[in-house]
Amino acid sequence: MYSFKELQDVVQKEIDGLEFSTPPEGLFEPMKYILGIGGKRLRPILVLLSANLFKEDLKKIYLPAIGIEVFHNFTLLHDDVMDNAPIRRSKATVHEKWNSNVAILSGDAMSIKAYQYIVSCEDRHLRDVLTVFNQTALEVCEGQQFDMEFEDRGDVQIDEYLEMIRLKTAVLLGGSLKMGAVMGDADAKDAELLYHFGVNLGMAFQLQDDYLDVFGDEEVFGKKIGGDILCNKKTFLLIKAFELAKGDDKKELEEWISAKDFNAEEKITAVRSMYEKLKVKDQSQAKIDEYFSLCLEYLDKVNVPAEKKKELYTLVKKLVNRSV
């Protein structure tokens, strides 16, 4: 069985070996750039860890797994354009370094490259792999659309938010694991269990991301705390706070959200204090724990020896502790 670190090295070596030398350079250079600025490589590693539960030789799965990473980076590239984000992983985003037209077109090319790599899987798996990938890719787009629509709505409910992050973030983790299981010759039941393991892991991870943006340690989290508060991002925390706030608390929260001119640190401190007062902090942590527990329940049911699942259990613990 491979370790997470061994597969991380495999994935990075495969990415470093990708050839994007065909002219025009203006199309392919941004692709090399965004793939070269790092990341956990979590999704292709999940493909390979899942396949490794059922087979030892993973060489024929390397390139399809890289296809998932290329697809993920394509979505980030387009998301950055839509969000007008200046920074990605401490580097200038593609549309900042070049321009939005370049980012859109290079992103389109990346999505095609992702398909090219994914269809390099063995022919006997092709239909099932593409069925999973196509459904997953469409759902990611649906999630992004919901996220954009939520920006202009003041009545977003918790269930709507959870469905949005399931689509935008979690299904790609589940899809990665299911594709790996298919290419590893798992039976349909185990492939489905791994899919739900990944979706619930993704839900926990995104909710934890929201939580850490408010309550995390900047040294550990790796980015400045409070960004979601400053831009009034509709997270579990904010939606739940509006659901629970009454009287003066609700009035104060509304004033901070509607304020156009404010001191950033003062707003972060005030809204964070409101989350603590309303016990939204505790409810958020409880929801995170719920999804982490649920993902482990699905993993427990996968019909392979516990020893083979050890690396996935360890990965869950590392994600809980943000030590990946």
Side-chain angles (χ1 to χ4, degrees):
M1 301 296 293
Y2 287 89
S3 69
F4 183 91
K5 181 62 172 65
E6 287 171 333
L7 292 177
Q8 199 170 40
D9 292 341
V10 165
V11 167
Q12 191 57 54
K13 183 178 179 181
E14 291 292 316
I15 289 173
D16 291 343
L18 294 178
E19 294 289 339
F20 296 131
S21 57
T22 304
E25 289 185 8
L27 180 66
F28 294 104
E29 195 61 32
M31 295 166 60
K32 288 192 287 186
Y33 173 77
I34 192 169
L35 284 168
I37 62 175
K40 299 179 184 68
R41 312 303 189 193
L42 179 60
R43 291 149 192 85
I45 293 171
L46 287 176
V47 173
L48 296 171
L49 283 173
S50 180
N52 200 205
L53 294 174
F54 307 98
K55 67 162 53 174
E56 292 297 321
D57 187 358
L58 303 180
K59 289 186 177 60
K60 292 180 179 179
I61 305 175
Y62 288 171
L63 200 53
I66 298 306
I68 292 295
E69 181 69 2
V70 172
F71 174 79
H72 173 59
N73 279 268
F74 142 69
T75 67
L76 299 181
L77 197 155
H78 276 194
D79 285 359
D80 287 342
V81 173
M82 287 183 271
D83 295 341
N84 199 27
I87 301 293
R88 166 70 64 183
R89 298 170 186 149
S90 302
K91 301 285 188 180
T93 49
V94 169
H95 69 273
E96 284 286 322
K97 187 174 175 64
W98 284 273
N99 58 58
S100 293
N101 288 340
V102 167
I104 291 167
L105 188 59
S106 290
D108 291 343
M110 286 187 81
S111 70
I112 296 165
K113 279 288 185 183
Y115 267 100
Q116 287 181 338
Y117 300 145
I118 288 167
V119 300
S120 69
C121 68
E122 293 183 76
D123 288 348
R124 61 198 176 93
H125 297 140
L126 184 57
R127 178 181 290 275
D128 289 338
V129 165
L130 281 180
T131 296
V132 176
F133 178 69
N134 287 338
Q135 181 64 30
T136 300
L138 181 59
E139 288 179 335
V140 170
C141 294
E142 291 170 355
Q144 176 66 10
Q145 180 64 35
F146 281 131
D147 196 20
M148 292 190 299
E149 290 176 2
F150 289 176
E151 292 176 10
D152 300 318
R153 285 180 51 194
D155 60 346
V156 179
Q157 302 298 304
I158 289 292
D159 287 349
E160 291 180 289
Y161 177 73
L162 294 175
E163 176 64 1
M164 183 276 287
I165 64 172
R166 184 187 74 83
L167 293 166
K168 184 175 177 180
T169 301
V171 296
L172 188 53
L173 271 65
S176 298
L177 284 149
K178 188 170 183 177
M179 288 169 62
V182 168
M183 290 184 283
D185 295 317
D187 64 31
K189 182 179 178 180
D190 283 335
E192 195 65 18
L193 288 168
L194 284 161
Y195 175 79
H196 290 293
F197 159 67
V199 168
N200 284 283
L201 180 62
M203 295 293 290
F205 187 79
Q206 184 57 56
L207 286 167
Q208 187 184 61
D209 210 56
D210 295 346
Y211 178 94
L212 291 174
D213 189 86
V214 177
F215 297 107
D217 183 327
E218 289 187 9
E219 296 276 330
V220 177
F221 192 39
K223 66 180 183 181
K224 189 167 178 61
I225 299 302
D228 288 349
I229 290 175
L230 293 179
C231 68
N232 299 329
K233 187 171 178 63
K234 294 177 179 71
T235 63
F236 181 95
L237 292 156
L238 182 60
I239 298 168
K240 181 60 74 171
F242 269 115
E243 182 183 300
L244 296 174
K246 308 292 182 187
D248 290 342
D249 288 340
K250 187 168 186 178
K251 182 180 178 182
E252 181 184 349
L253 194 56
E254 287 173 342
E255 286 174 351
W256 277 116
I257 297 306
S258 61
K260 302 298 182 186
D261 185 22
F262 54 82
N263 176 277
E265 290 305 318
E266 188 180 354
K267 178 174 180 176
I268 291 168
T269 299
V271 174
R272 183 194 291 131
S273 296
M274 185 65 70
Y275 289 167
E276 292 176 327
K277 180 180 180 180
L278 296 170
K279 302 192 183 305
V280 170
K281 177 182 180 181
D282 298 335
Q283 291 193 43
S284 177
Q285 186 61 62
K287 183 62 73 172
I288 292 165
D289 294 342
E290 177 186 326
Y291 279 114
F292 272 127
S293 295
L294 194 55
C295 85
L296 289 173
E297 287 179 22
Y298 280 107
L299 184 56
D300 288 344
K301 294 174 184 176
V302 177
N303 190 28
V304 297
E307 183 63 27
K308 286 194 170 187
K309 294 183 279 189
K310 182 179 178 181
E311 201 64 28
L312 285 170
Y313 284 120
T314 301
L315 176 59
V316 173
K317 289 180 183 177
K318 287 182 176 179
L319 289 172
V320 169
N321 298 320
R322 287 290 168 140
S323 58
V324 173

